[in-house]
Amino acid sequence: MAKSRLNYLLLSALTIFAFVLFPLTLTQAADECFAEYSKTNICDFAQKVQQEMAPLLPMQISSNLVVRNIVSVGPLVQISAMLKYDENFLNQSLKKQAVKRSFIDSKMNEMTHNMVCSNDAMSAFLGLGGRIAYQYNFIDGLEYLRLEFNTDSCM
């Protein structure tokens, strides 16, 4: 009997919570989806980018890098890429070459920045208020680097 009452109270609390927060979430999503000075729906554009790119995946970028996944969530397009080596291999290679990890991280950031900001369609999407995130993972699934770009990133 006590378990049944606890389930009822939990369900009631979740229902009240949903009714209070759900309208706020919809309003926030609507605000995020429309460009400030136009009627362009950025979320629809993000979804279109995802739908057009997804069939091309996985996409080999270099001998050590593969784009594996793309998702759109609201005005965000997130692209996931996998490095074909693990963190230990990277650290050992950098050690042999006497290169600091921060140097290679900044080069990866610079390469991704240039790729995003030199692409006219991506720059236009960012200019409308969209965001693009790149998530780089090692072959074993551990996160290497996450970079996010917005309208200010390409100025």
Side-chain angles (χ1 to χ4, degrees):
M1 185 76 164
K3 188 174 184 179
S4 176
R5 178 134 173 89
L6 181 62
N7 286 341
Y8 173 77
L9 290 173
L10 183 59
L11 182 59
S12 297
L14 289 174
T15 303
I16 291 168
F17 186 69
F19 277 114
V20 170
L21 288 183
F22 188 66
L24 297 175
T25 305
L26 290 177
T27 303
Q28 181 184 11
D31 289 345
E32 284 186 330
C33 287
F34 289 94
E36 189 173 345
Y37 300 109
S38 78
K39 294 183 179 188
T40 302
N41 187 320
I42 305 163
C43 298
D44 287 348
F45 189 83
Q47 189 172 30
K48 183 179 177 191
V49 168
Q50 184 266 329
Q51 289 171 343
E52 289 178 5
M53 191 171 170
L56 304 174
L57 302 179
M59 183 186 301
Q60 189 81 33
I61 303 300
S62 71
S63 61
N64 289 319
L65 183 64
V66 177
V67 173
R68 298 181 49 145
N69 187 342
I70 182 170
V71 295
S72 66
V73 179
L76 172 70
V77 173
Q78 180 162 326
I79 300 167
S80 299
M82 181 185 70
L83 298 165
K84 290 190 169 183
Y85 49 82
D86 62 16
E87 187 172 20
N88 187 45
F89 177 84
L90 174 63
N91 290 336
Q92 292 301 320
S93 298
L94 294 174
K95 189 176 181 179
K96 285 179 188 174
Q97 298 172 30
V99 174
K100 290 187 178 189
R101 173 81 176 255
S102 60
F103 176 78
I104 200 74
D105 293 352
S106 71
K107 286 296 180 188
M108 187 67 117
N109 189 346
E110 182 181 329
M111 177 200 70
T112 307
H113 177 272
N114 291 341
M115 183 174 51
V116 169
C117 295
S118 66
N119 182 295
D120 291 338
M122 287 186 179
S123 290
F125 173 66
L126 295 176
L128 289 171
R131 298 185 330 268
I132 299 172
Y134 275 81
Q135 167 106 23
Y136 294 100
N137 293 323
F138 292 109
I139 196 164
D140 58 8
L142 291 176
E143 183 177 316
Y144 165 57
L145 204 54
R146 186 178 195 292
L147 306 169
E148 188 167 325
F149 301 92
N150 59 32
T151 190
D152 297 329
S153 302
C154 295
M155 293 188 170

